[in-house]
Amino acid sequence: MFKISYYDFHTHTSFSGDCKYTMETMIQQAIKHKFVKLCFTDHYDYDYPSTPELAFDIDLPNYHKSFLQLKAKYKNQIKLLFGIEVGLQPHIYDITKQTIDSYPFDFVIASTHVVDRLDPYFGSYYENKTKKEAYSRYLEDIYHNVTHYDDYNVYGHLDYIIRYGHYDDKKLYYHDHKEVIDKILSRIIETGHGIELNTSGYRKNFNEPHPNIDIIKRYRQLGGEIITIGSDAHYPEHLAYNFDIAYEVLHDCGFKYFTVFEKRKPDYIKIPI
């Protein structure tokens, strides 16, 4: 039986454009459930194609200031880490790196939220594309990012596109894209980076994490060792969502440890069995 310990390394607060809950609300929820560590990773998506429904601006000075105040306030109750989730696009690598280097982040998630200036959240991304074409283009963009951008720790929700894929069967199948997926995973491993197991897939009725289990298993087969666990919570009740299942998935995929970060350095926590 797995004993549950909580180290959530993908969480959001009201500093993200798509979350309304304060940092302190998230902290209090984590303390209530006896978290060991909680890492905030609010969105920084420079040049995101904002709409009235969605924007990803972030007040970084205030984000850092608020974190430091709350870290001091709750220092005897929980270990808090300062992170960021950066949305990568090929034309913003330099400014993204400058921004990250300007703050003492403990942890950086790189993500693909926008491809060819279009967010797959919106239907326009899928116009005149088959499922194979839409998903292939998304994966090619990730491969470009991991080949040309280095200032991150793990790549987030590698099959993010399935959340919004405009198809009856949304799943991204490894065997349909194995060449580019292997190139992505191999590049991540070779450059000393990692991936995350993101449990939000269970909340969204996929019955699997992001990325799916086949991709996580392939990452391990290729020699991947760095893997964090994150809920991608935008609501306090979603913190550490299905982490008991996440531990089982990692164990079944051949992992003995999961990863946490502090000052951008990895530490390995034995999967609690």
Side-chain angles (χ1 to χ4, degrees), residues 9-11 39-44 60 63 81-88 93 96-111 149-157 188 192-196 226 228 260-266:
F9 269 69
H10 190 151
T11 69
C39 185
F40 295 110
T41 55
D42 277 308
H43 286 292
Y44 171 67
L60 282 168
Y63 177 46
L81 289 307
F82 186 54
I84 195 81
E85 180 183 7
V86 297
L88 293 180
Y93 294 152
T96 299
K97 179 171 174 52
Q98 289 170 14
T99 301
I100 291 172
D101 290 347
S102 298
Y103 291 88
F105 291 112
D106 289 298
F107 179 57
V108 177
I109 300 173
S111 294
Y149 187 83
D150 191 64
D151 197 5
Y152 71 99
N153 297 116
V154 304
Y155 216 96
H157 43 52
I188 287 172
H193 300 98
I195 66 170
E196 69 165 355
I226 296 173
T228 57
V260 296
F261 281 82
E262 187 170 351
K263 297 180 179 178
R264 306 292 302 277
K265 302 296 184 183

CSV table of all heavy atoms in Angstrom, one decimal, residues 9-11 39-44 60 63 81-88 93 96-111 149-157 188 192-196 226 228 260-266:
chain,number,residue,atom,x,y,z
A,9,PHE,N,4.4,20.1,-7.5
A,9,PHE,CA,5.3,21.0,-8.2
A,9,PHE,C,4.7,21.5,-9.5
A,9,PHE,O,5.4,21.7,-10.5
A,9,PHE,CB,6.6,20.2,-8.5
A,9,PHE,CG,7.6,20.5,-7.3
A,9,PHE,CD1,7.5,20.0,-6.1
A,9,PHE,CD2,8.8,21.3,-7.5
A,9,PHE,CE1,8.3,20.2,-5.0
A,9,PHE,CE2,9.7,21.6,-6.5
A,9,PHE,CZ,9.4,21.0,-5.3
A,10,HIS,N,3.4,21.7,-9.5
A,10,HIS,CA,2.8,22.4,-10.6
A,10,HIS,C,1.4,22.9,-10.0
A,10,HIS,O,0.4,22.2,-10.0
A,10,HIS,CB,2.5,21.5,-11.8
A,10,HIS,CG,2.1,22.3,-13.0
A,10,HIS,ND1,2.4,21.8,-14.3
A,10,HIS,CD2,1.4,23.4,-13.2
A,10,HIS,CE1,1.9,22.7,-15.2
A,10,HIS,NE2,1.3,23.7,-14.5
A,11,THR,N,1.4,24.2,-9.6
A,11,THR,CA,0.2,24.8,-9.0
A,11,THR,C,0.1,26.3,-9.4
A,11,THR,O,1.1,26.9,-9.8
A,11,THR,CB,0.3,24.8,-7.4
A,11,THR,OG1,1.3,25.6,-7.0
A,11,THR,CG2,0.6,23.3,-6.9
A,39,CYS,N,5.2,24.0,-4.4
A,39,CYS,CA,5.9,24.9,-5.4
A,39,CYS,C,4.8,25.6,-6.2
A,39,CYS,O,4.0,25.0,-6.9
A,39,CYS,CB,6.8,24.1,-6.2
A,39,CYS,SG,7.8,25.2,-7.3
A,40,PHE,N,4.9,27.0,-6.2
A,40,PHE,CA,4.0,27.8,-7.1
A,40,PHE,C,4.7,27.9,-8.4
A,40,PHE,O,5.9,28.2,-8.6
A,40,PHE,CB,3.8,29.1,-6.5
A,40,PHE,CG,3.0,29.1,-5.2
A,40,PHE,CD1,3.6,29.4,-4.0
A,40,PHE,CD2,1.7,28.7,-5.2
A,40,PHE,CE1,2.9,29.3,-2.8
A,40,PHE,CE2,1.0,28.7,-4.0
A,40,PHE,CZ,1.6,29.0,-2.8
A,41,THR,N,3.9,27.7,-9.5
A,41,THR,CA,4.4,27.8,-10.9
A,41,THR,C,3.4,28.6,-11.7
A,41,THR,O,2.8,28.1,-12.7
A,41,THR,CB,4.6,26.4,-11.5
A,41,THR,OG1,3.4,25.6,-11.4
A,41,THR,CG2,5.7,25.6,-10.7
A,42,ASP,N,3.2,29.8,-11.4
A,42,ASP,CA,2.2,30.6,-12.1
A,42,ASP,C,2.7,30.9,-13.5
A,42,ASP,O,3.9,30.8,-13.8
A,42,ASP,CB,1.9,31.9,-11.3
A,42,ASP,CG,0.9,31.7,-10.3
A,42,ASP,OD1,-0.2,31.2,-10.6
A,42,ASP,OD2,1.1,32.0,-9.1
A,43,HIS,N,1.7,31.2,-14.4
A,43,HIS,CA,2.0,31.3,-15.8
A,43,HIS,C,2.8,32.6,-16.2
A,43,HIS,O,2.4,33.7,-15.8
A,43,HIS,CB,0.6,31.4,-16.6
A,43,HIS,CG,-0.1,30.1,-16.7
A,43,HIS,ND1,0.4,29.0,-17.4
A,43,HIS,CD2,-1.3,29.7,-16.1
A,43,HIS,CE1,-0.5,28.1,-17.3
A,43,HIS,NE2,-1.5,28.4,-16.5
A,44,TYR,N,3.8,32.4,-17.0
A,44,TYR,CA,4.4,33.5,-17.7
A,44,TYR,C,4.5,33.1,-19.2
A,44,TYR,O,5.3,32.3,-19.6
A,44,TYR,CB,5.9,33.8,-17.1
A,44,TYR,CG,6.7,34.8,-18.0
A,44,TYR,CD1,6.3,36.1,-18.0
A,44,TYR,CD2,7.8,34.4,-18.7
A,44,TYR,CE1,7.0,37.0,-18.8
A,44,TYR,CE2,8.5,35.3,-19.5
A,44,TYR,CZ,8.1,36.6,-19.5
A,44,TYR,OH,8.8,37.5,-20.3
A,60,LEU,N,5.3,40.0,-12.1
A,60,LEU,CA,6.4,39.3,-11.5
A,60,LEU,C,6.9,39.9,-10.3
A,60,LEU,O,7.2,39.2,-9.3
A,60,LEU,CB,7.5,39.0,-12.6
A,60,LEU,CG,7.2,37.9,-13.6
A,60,LEU,CD1,8.2,37.9,-14.7
A,60,LEU,CD2,7.2,36.5,-12.9
A,63,TYR,N,4.5,39.1,-7.6
A,63,TYR,CA,4.5,37.6,-7.4
A,63,TYR,C,5.6,37.2,-6.5
A,63,TYR,O,5.4,36.5,-5.5
A,63,TYR,CB,4.6,37.0,-8.8
A,63,TYR,CG,4.7,35.5,-8.8
A,63,TYR,CD1,3.8,34.7,-8.1
A,63,TYR,CD2,5.6,34.8,-9.6
A,63,TYR,CE1,3.9,33.3,-8.1
A,63,TYR,CE2,5.7,33.5,-9.7
A,63,TYR,CZ,4.8,32.7,-9.0
A,63,TYR,OH,4.9,31.3,-9.1
A,81,LEU,N,8.2,26.7,-2.3
A,81,LEU,CA,9.2,27.0,-3.3
A,81,LEU,C,8.6,27.9,-4.4
A,81,LEU,O,7.4,27.9,-4.6
A,81,LEU,CB,9.6,25.6,-4.0
A,81,LEU,CG,10.4,24.6,-3.2
A,81,LEU,CD1,11.7,25.3,-2.7
A,81,LEU,CD2,9.7,23.9,-2.2
A,82,PHE,N,9.5,28.7,-5.0
A,82,PHE,CA,9.2,29.7,-5.9
A,82,PHE,C,9.5,29.3,-7.4
A,82,PHE,O,10.6,29.1,-7.8
A,82,PHE,CB,10.0,31.0,-5.6
A,82,PHE,CG,9.6,32.2,-6.4
A,82,PHE,CD1,8.3,32.7,-6.5
A,82,PHE,CD2,10.6,32.9,-7.1
A,82,PHE,CE1,8.0,33.8,-7.2
A,82,PHE,CE2,10.3,34.0,-7.9
A,82,PHE,CZ,9.0,34.5,-7.9
A,83,GLY,N,8.4,29.0,-8.1
A,83,GLY,CA,8.6,28.5,-9.5
A,83,GLY,C,7.8,29.3,-10.5
A,83,GLY,O,7.1,30.3,-10.2
A,84,ILE,N,7.9,28.9,-11.7
A,84,ILE,CA,7.2,29.6,-12.8
A,84,ILE,C,7.0,28.6,-13.9
A,84,ILE,O,7.7,27.6,-14.1
A,84,ILE,CB,8.1,30.7,-13.4
A,84,ILE,CG1,7.3,31.7,-14.2
A,84,ILE,CG2,9.3,30.2,-14.1
A,84,ILE,CD1,6.5,32.7,-13.5
A,85,GLU,N,5.8,28.7,-14.6
A,85,GLU,CA,5.6,28.0,-15.8
A,85,GLU,C,5.7,28.9,-17.0
A,85,GLU,O,4.8,29.8,-17.2
A,85,GLU,CB,4.2,27.3,-15.8
A,85,GLU,CG,3.9,26.5,-17.0
A,85,GLU,CD,2.5,25.9,-17.1
A,85,GLU,OE1,1.7,26.2,-16.2
A,85,GLU,OE2,2.2,25.1,-18.0
A,86,VAL,N,6.7,28.7,-17.9
A,86,VAL,CA,6.9,29.6,-19.0
A,86,VAL,C,6.3,28.9,-20.3
A,86,VAL,O,6.6,27.8,-20.6
A,86,VAL,CB,8.4,29.9,-19.2
A,86,VAL,CG1,8.9,30.7,-18.0
A,86,VAL,CG2,9.2,28.7,-19.4
A,87,GLY,N,5.5,29.7,-21.0
A,87,GLY,CA,5.0,29.2,-22.2
A,87,GLY,C,6.0,29.6,-23.3
A,87,GLY,O,6.2,30.8,-23.6
A,88,LEU,N,6.5,28.6,-24.0
A,88,LEU,CA,7.6,28.9,-25.0
A,88,LEU,C,7.0,29.1,-26.4
A,88,LEU,O,6.0,28.4,-26.8
A,88,LEU,CB,8.6,27.7,-25.0
A,88,LEU,CG,9.5,27.6,-23.8
A,88,LEU,CD1,10.4,26.4,-24.0
A,88,LEU,CD2,10.3,28.8,-23.5
A,93,TYR,N,12.5,33.3,-27.1
A,93,TYR,CA,13.5,32.6,-26.2
A,93,TYR,C,14.3,33.6,-25.4
A,93,TYR,O,14.5,33.4,-24.2
A,93,TYR,CB,14.4,31.7,-27.1
A,93,TYR,CG,13.7,30.5,-27.7
A,93,TYR,CD1,14.2,30.0,-28.9
A,93,TYR,CD2,12.6,29.9,-27.2
A,93,TYR,CE1,13.7,28.9,-29.5
A,93,TYR,CE2,12.0,28.8,-27.8
A,93,TYR,CZ,12.5,28.3,-29.0
A,93,TYR,OH,12.0,27.2,-29.6
A,96,THR,N,12.4,35.5,-22.7
A,96,THR,CA,12.0,34.5,-21.6
A,96,THR,C,13.2,34.2,-20.7
A,96,THR,O,13.1,34.2,-19.5
A,96,THR,CB,11.5,33.2,-22.3
A,96,THR,OG1,10.3,33.5,-23.0
A,96,THR,CG2,11.1,32.2,-21.2
A,97,LYS,N,14.3,33.9,-21.3
A,97,LYS,CA,15.5,33.6,-20.5
A,97,LYS,C,15.9,34.8,-19.7
A,97,LYS,O,16.3,34.7,-18.5
A,97,LYS,CB,16.7,33.2,-21.4
A,97,LYS,CG,18.0,32.9,-20.6
A,97,LYS,CD,19.0,32.3,-21.5
A,97,LYS,CE,20.3,32.1,-20.7
A,97,LYS,NZ,20.2,31.4,-19.4
A,98,GLN,N,15.9,36.0,-20.2
A,98,GLN,CA,16.2,37.2,-19.5
A,98,GLN,C,15.3,37.4,-18.2
A,98,GLN,O,15.8,37.7,-17.1
A,98,GLN,CB,16.1,38.5,-20.3
A,98,GLN,CG,17.2,38.6,-21.4
A,98,GLN,CD,16.9,39.7,-22.4
A,98,GLN,OE1,16.0,40.5,-22.2
A,98,GLN,NE2,17.6,39.7,-23.6
A,99,THR,N,14.0,37.1,-18.4
A,99,THR,CA,13.1,37.2,-17.3
A,99,THR,C,13.4,36.2,-16.3
A,99,THR,O,13.4,36.5,-15.1
A,99,THR,CB,11.7,37.0,-17.9
A,99,THR,OG1,11.4,38.0,-18.8
A,99,THR,CG2,10.6,37.1,-16.7
A,100,ILE,N,13.6,34.9,-16.7
A,100,ILE,CA,13.9,33.9,-15.7
A,100,ILE,C,15.1,34.2,-14.9
A,100,ILE,O,15.2,34.0,-13.7
A,100,ILE,CB,14.0,32.5,-16.4
A,100,ILE,CG1,12.6,32.1,-16.9
A,100,ILE,CG2,14.5,31.4,-15.5
A,100,ILE,CD1,12.6,30.9,-17.8
A,101,ASP,N,16.1,34.7,-15.6
A,101,ASP,CA,17.4,34.9,-14.9
A,101,ASP,C,17.3,36.1,-14.0
A,101,ASP,O,18.2,36.4,-13.2
A,101,ASP,CB,18.5,35.2,-16.0
A,101,ASP,CG,18.9,33.9,-16.7
A,101,ASP,OD1,18.5,32.8,-16.3
A,101,ASP,OD2,19.5,34.0,-17.8
A,102,SER,N,16.2,36.9,-14.0
A,102,SER,CA,16.1,38.1,-13.2
A,102,SER,C,15.5,37.8,-11.8
A,102,SER,O,15.4,38.7,-11.0
A,102,SER,CB,15.2,39.1,-13.9
A,102,SER,OG,15.8,39.5,-15.1
A,103,TYR,N,15.0,36.5,-11.6
A,103,TYR,CA,14.4,36.2,-10.4
A,103,TYR,C,15.0,34.8,-9.9
A,103,TYR,O,15.4,34.0,-10.6
A,103,TYR,CB,12.9,36.0,-10.5
A,103,TYR,CG,12.2,37.3,-10.8
A,103,TYR,CD1,12.0,37.8,-12.1
A,103,TYR,CD2,11.7,38.1,-9.8
A,103,TYR,CE1,11.4,39.0,-12.3
A,103,TYR,CE2,11.0,39.3,-10.0
A,103,TYR,CZ,10.9,39.7,-11.3
A,103,TYR,OH,10.3,40.9,-11.5
A,104,PRO,N,15.0,34.7,-8.5
A,104,PRO,CA,15.6,33.5,-8.0
A,104,PRO,C,14.7,32.3,-7.9
A,104,PRO,O,14.3,31.8,-6.8
A,104,PRO,CB,16.0,33.9,-6.5
A,104,PRO,CG,14.9,34.9,-6.2
A,104,PRO,CD,14.6,35.6,-7.5
A,105,PHE,N,14.3,31.8,-9.1
A,105,PHE,CA,13.3,30.7,-9.1
A,105,PHE,C,14.0,29.4,-8.6
A,105,PHE,O,15.1,29.1,-8.9
A,105,PHE,CB,12.8,30.5,-10.5
A,105,PHE,CG,11.9,31.6,-11.0
A,105,PHE,CD1,12.3,32.5,-12.0
A,105,PHE,CD2,10.7,31.8,-10.5
A,105,PHE,CE1,11.5,33.5,-12.5
A,105,PHE,CE2,9.8,32.8,-10.9
A,105,PHE,CZ,10.2,33.6,-11.9
A,106,ASP,N,13.2,28.6,-7.9
A,106,ASP,CA,13.6,27.3,-7.5
A,106,ASP,C,13.4,26.3,-8.6
A,106,ASP,O,14.0,25.3,-8.6
A,106,ASP,CB,12.8,26.9,-6.2
A,106,ASP,CG,13.2,27.6,-5.0
A,106,ASP,OD1,14.4,27.5,-4.6
A,106,ASP,OD2,12.3,28.3,-4.4
A,107,PHE,N,12.4,26.6,-9.5
A,107,PHE,CA,11.9,25.6,-10.4
A,107,PHE,C,11.3,26.2,-11.6
A,107,PHE,O,10.5,27.2,-11.4
A,107,PHE,CB,10.9,24.6,-9.7
A,107,PHE,CG,10.3,23.6,-10.5
A,107,PHE,CD1,11.1,22.6,-11.1
A,107,PHE,CD2,8.9,23.4,-10.6
A,107,PHE,CE1,10.5,21.6,-11.9
A,107,PHE,CE2,8.3,22.4,-11.3
A,107,PHE,CZ,9.1,21.5,-12.0
A,108,VAL,N,11.6,25.7,-12.8
A,108,VAL,CA,11.0,26.3,-14.0
A,108,VAL,C,10.4,25.2,-14.9
A,108,VAL,O,11.1,24.2,-15.2
A,108,VAL,CB,12.0,27.0,-14.8
A,108,VAL,CG1,11.4,27.5,-16.2
A,108,VAL,CG2,12.6,28.2,-14.0
A,109,ILE,N,9.1,25.3,-15.1
A,109,ILE,CA,8.4,24.4,-16.1
A,109,ILE,C,8.4,25.1,-17.4
A,109,ILE,O,8.0,26.2,-17.5
A,109,ILE,CB,7.0,24.1,-15.7
A,109,ILE,CG1,7.0,23.4,-14.3
A,109,ILE,CG2,6.3,23.2,-16.7
A,109,ILE,CD1,5.6,23.2,-13.7
A,110,ALA,N,8.8,24.4,-18.5
A,110,ALA,CA,8.6,24.9,-19.8
A,110,ALA,C,7.4,24.2,-20.4
A,110,ALA,O,7.2,23.0,-20.2
A,110,ALA,CB,9.8,24.6,-20.7
A,111,SER,N,6.5,24.9,-21.1
A,111,SER,CA,5.3,24.4,-21.7
A,111,SER,C,5.1,24.9,-23.0
A,111,SER,O,5.5,26.0,-23.4
A,111,SER,CB,4.1,24.7,-20.8
A,111,SER,OG,4.2,24.0,-19.5
A,149,TYR,N,16.1,25.8,-26.8
A,149,TYR,CA,15.9,26.6,-25.5
A,149,TYR,C,16.3,25.6,-24.4
A,149,TYR,O,15.9,24.5,-24.3
A,149,TYR,CB,14.5,27.0,-25.3
A,149,TYR,CG,14.3,27.9,-24.1
A,149,TYR,CD1,14.6,29.3,-24.2
A,149,TYR,CD2,13.9,27.4,-22.9
A,149,TYR,CE1,14.4,30.1,-23.1
A,149,TYR,CE2,13.7,28.2,-21.8
A,149,TYR,CZ,14.0,29.5,-21.9
A,149,TYR,OH,13.9,30.3,-20.8
A,150,ASP,N,17.1,26.2,-23.4
A,150,ASP,CA,17.7,25.4,-22.4
A,150,ASP,C,17.4,25.7,-21.0
A,150,ASP,O,17.6,24.9,-20.1
A,150,ASP,CB,19.3,25.4,-22.6
A,150,ASP,CG,20.0,24.4,-21.8
A,150,ASP,OD1,19.8,23.2,-22.0
A,150,ASP,OD2,20.7,24.8,-20.8
A,151,ASP,N,16.8,26.9,-20.7
A,151,ASP,CA,16.7,27.4,-19.4
A,151,ASP,C,15.3,27.0,-18.8
A,151,ASP,O,14.4,27.8,-18.5
A,151,ASP,CB,16.8,28.9,-19.4
A,151,ASP,CG,17.1,29.5,-18.0
A,151,ASP,OD1,17.3,28.7,-17.1
A,151,ASP,OD2,17.1,30.7,-17.8
A,152,TYR,N,15.2,25.7,-18.5
A,152,TYR,CA,14.1,25.1,-17.8
A,152,TYR,C,14.5,23.9,-17.1
A,152,TYR,O,15.6,23.4,-17.3
A,152,TYR,CB,13.0,24.8,-18.8
A,152,TYR,CG,13.3,23.6,-19.7
A,152,TYR,CD1,12.7,22.3,-19.4
A,152,TYR,CD2,14.1,23.7,-20.8
A,152,TYR,CE1,13.0,21.3,-20.2
A,152,TYR,CE2,14.3,22.7,-21.7
A,152,TYR,CZ,13.8,21.4,-21.4
A,152,TYR,OH,14.1,20.3,-22.2
A,153,ASN,N,13.7,23.3,-16.2
A,153,ASN,CA,14.0,22.1,-15.5
A,153,ASN,C,13.2,20.9,-16.0
A,153,ASN,O,13.8,19.9,-16.2
A,153,ASN,CB,13.7,22.3,-14.0
A,153,ASN,CG,14.6,23.4,-13.4
A,153,ASN,OD1,14.1,24.4,-12.9
A,153,ASN,ND2,15.9,23.1,-13.3
A,154,VAL,N,11.9,21.1,-16.2
A,154,VAL,CA,11.1,20.0,-16.8
A,154,VAL,C,10.2,20.6,-17.8
A,154,VAL,O,9.8,21.7,-17.8
A,154,VAL,CB,10.3,19.2,-15.7
A,154,VAL,CG1,11.2,18.6,-14.6
A,154,VAL,CG2,9.2,20.0,-15.1
A,155,TYR,N,9.8,19.7,-18.8
A,155,TYR,CA,8.8,20.1,-19.8
A,155,TYR,C,7.4,19.6,-19.3
A,155,TYR,O,7.3,18.5,-18.9
A,155,TYR,CB,9.1,19.5,-21.1
A,155,TYR,CG,8.8,20.5,-22.2
A,155,TYR,CD1,9.7,21.3,-22.8
A,155,TYR,CD2,7.5,20.6,-22.7
A,155,TYR,CE1,9.4,22.3,-23.8
A,155,TYR,CE2,7.1,21.5,-23.7
A,155,TYR,CZ,8.1,22.4,-24.2
A,155,TYR,OH,7.8,23.3,-25.2
A,156,GLY,N,6.5,20.6,-19.3
A,156,GLY,CA,5.2,20.3,-18.7
A,156,GLY,C,4.2,19.6,-19.7
A,156,GLY,O,4.3,19.8,-20.9
A,157,HIS,N,3.3,18.9,-19.1
A,157,HIS,CA,2.2,18.2,-19.8
A,157,HIS,C,2.4,18.0,-21.3
A,157,HIS,O,1.8,18.7,-22.1
A,157,HIS,CB,0.9,18.9,-19.6
A,157,HIS,CG,0.9,20.4,-19.6
A,157,HIS,ND1,1.4,21.2,-20.7
A,157,HIS,CD2,0.4,21.4,-18.7
A,157,HIS,CE1,1.2,22.5,-20.4
A,157,HIS,NE2,0.7,22.6,-19.3
A,188,ILE,N,15.5,15.9,-24.3
A,188,ILE,CA,15.3,16.3,-22.9
A,188,ILE,C,16.3,15.6,-22.0
A,188,ILE,O,16.9,16.2,-21.1
A,188,ILE,CB,13.8,16.0,-22.5
A,188,ILE,CG1,12.9,17.0,-23.1
A,188,ILE,CG2,13.7,16.0,-20.9
A,188,ILE,CD1,11.4,16.7,-22.9
A,192,GLY,N,20.0,17.0,-19.8
A,192,GLY,CA,19.9,17.1,-18.3
A,192,GLY,C,18.6,17.6,-17.8
A,192,GLY,O,18.5,18.1,-16.6
A,193,HIS,N,17.5,17.6,-18.6
A,193,HIS,CA,16.2,18.1,-18.1
A,193,HIS,C,15.3,16.9,-17.8
A,193,HIS,O,15.7,15.7,-17.9
A,193,HIS,CB,15.6,19.0,-19.2
A,193,HIS,CG,16.4,20.2,-19.5
A,193,HIS,ND1,17.3,20.3,-20.6
A,193,HIS,CD2,16.6,21.4,-18.8
A,193,HIS,CE1,17.9,21.5,-20.6
A,193,HIS,NE2,17.5,22.1,-19.5
A,194,GLY,N,14.1,17.2,-17.5
A,194,GLY,CA,13.1,16.1,-17.2
A,194,GLY,C,11.7,16.5,-17.7
A,194,GLY,O,11.5,17.4,-18.5
A,195,ILE,N,10.8,15.6,-17.3
A,195,ILE,CA,9.4,15.9,-17.7
A,195,ILE,C,8.6,15.8,-16.3
A,195,ILE,O,9.1,15.5,-15.3
A,195,ILE,CB,8.8,14.8,-18.7
A,195,ILE,CG1,8.8,13.4,-18.0
A,195,ILE,CG2,9.7,14.8,-19.9
A,195,ILE,CD1,8.0,12.4,-18.9
A,196,GLU,N,7.3,16.1,-16.4
A,196,GLU,CA,6.5,16.0,-15.3
A,196,GLU,C,5.4,14.9,-15.5
A,196,GLU,O,5.0,14.7,-16.7
A,196,GLU,CB,5.8,17.3,-14.9
A,196,GLU,CG,4.7,17.8,-15.9
A,196,GLU,CD,3.8,18.9,-15.4
A,196,GLU,OE1,3.9,19.3,-14.3
A,196,GLU,OE2,3.0,19.4,-16.2
A,226,ILE,N,14.6,12.2,-14.4
A,226,ILE,CA,14.0,13.4,-13.7
A,226,ILE,C,12.6,13.5,-14.1
A,226,ILE,O,12.2,13.6,-15.2
A,226,ILE,CB,14.8,14.7,-14.2
A,226,ILE,CG1,16.2,14.7,-13.7
A,226,ILE,CG2,14.1,15.9,-13.6
A,226,ILE,CD1,17.1,15.8,-14.3
A,228,THR,N,9.0,15.1,-12.2
A,228,THR,CA,8.2,15.7,-11.1
A,228,THR,C,6.8,15.3,-11.1
A,228,THR,O,6.3,14.8,-12.1
A,228,THR,CB,8.4,17.3,-11.1
A,228,THR,OG1,7.9,17.7,-12.4
A,228,THR,CG2,9.8,17.7,-10.9
A,260,VAL,N,12.1,16.5,-6.9
A,260,VAL,CA,11.7,17.9,-6.5
A,260,VAL,C,12.9,18.8,-6.8
A,260,VAL,O,14.0,18.3,-7.0
A,260,VAL,CB,11.3,17.9,-5.0
A,260,VAL,CG1,10.1,17.0,-4.8
A,260,VAL,CG2,12.4,17.5,-4.1
A,261,PHE,N,12.6,20.1,-6.7
A,261,PHE,CA,13.7,21.1,-7.0
A,261,PHE,C,13.7,22.2,-6.0
A,261,PHE,O,12.7,22.6,-5.4
A,261,PHE,CB,13.4,21.7,-8.4
A,261,PHE,CG,13.9,20.9,-9.6
A,261,PHE,CD1,13.0,19.9,-10.1
A,261,PHE,CD2,15.1,21.1,-10.2
A,261,PHE,CE1,13.4,19.1,-11.1
A,261,PHE,CE2,15.5,20.3,-11.2
A,261,PHE,CZ,14.6,19.3,-11.7
A,262,GLU,N,14.9,22.6,-5.7
A,262,GLU,CA,15.2,23.8,-4.9
A,262,GLU,C,16.4,24.5,-5.5
A,262,GLU,O,17.4,23.9,-5.7
A,262,GLU,CB,15.3,23.5,-3.5
A,262,GLU,CG,15.4,24.7,-2.6
A,262,GLU,CD,15.4,24.4,-1.1
A,262,GLU,OE1,15.1,23.2,-0.7
A,262,GLU,OE2,15.6,25.3,-0.3
A,263,LYS,N,16.3,25.8,-5.7
A,263,LYS,CA,17.4,26.6,-6.3
A,263,LYS,C,17.8,26.0,-7.6
A,263,LYS,O,19.0,25.9,-8.0
A,263,LYS,CB,18.6,26.7,-5.3
A,263,LYS,CG,18.2,27.5,-4.1
A,263,LYS,CD,19.4,27.6,-3.1
A,263,LYS,CE,19.0,28.4,-1.9
A,263,LYS,NZ,20.1,28.5,-0.9
A,264,ARG,N,16.9,25.4,-8.4
A,264,ARG,CA,17.0,24.8,-9.7
A,264,ARG,C,17.8,23.5,-9.7
A,264,ARG,O,18.2,23.0,-10.7
A,264,ARG,CB,17.7,25.8,-10.7
A,264,ARG,CG,17.1,27.2,-10.8
A,264,ARG,CD,15.7,27.1,-11.5
A,264,ARG,NE,15.8,26.6,-12.8
A,264,ARG,CZ,16.1,27.2,-13.9
A,264,ARG,NH1,16.4,28.5,-13.8
A,264,ARG,NH2,16.2,26.7,-15.1
A,265,LYS,N,18.0,23.0,-8.5
A,265,LYS,CA,18.8,21.7,-8.4
A,265,LYS,C,17.8,20.6,-8.0
A,265,LYS,O,16.9,20.7,-7.2
A,265,LYS,CB,19.8,21.8,-7.3
A,265,LYS,CG,20.9,22.9,-7.5
A,265,LYS,CD,21.7,22.7,-8.8
A,265,LYS,CE,22.8,23.8,-8.9
A,265,LYS,NZ,23.5,23.6,-10.2
A,266,PRO,N,18.0,19.4,-8.7
A,266,PRO,CA,17.1,18.3,-8.4
A,266,PRO,C,17.4,17.5,-7.1
A,266,PRO,O,18.6,17.4,-6.8
A,266,PRO,CB,17.3,17.4,-9.6
A,266,PRO,CG,18.7,17.7,-10.0
A,266,PRO,CD,18.9,19.1,-9.7
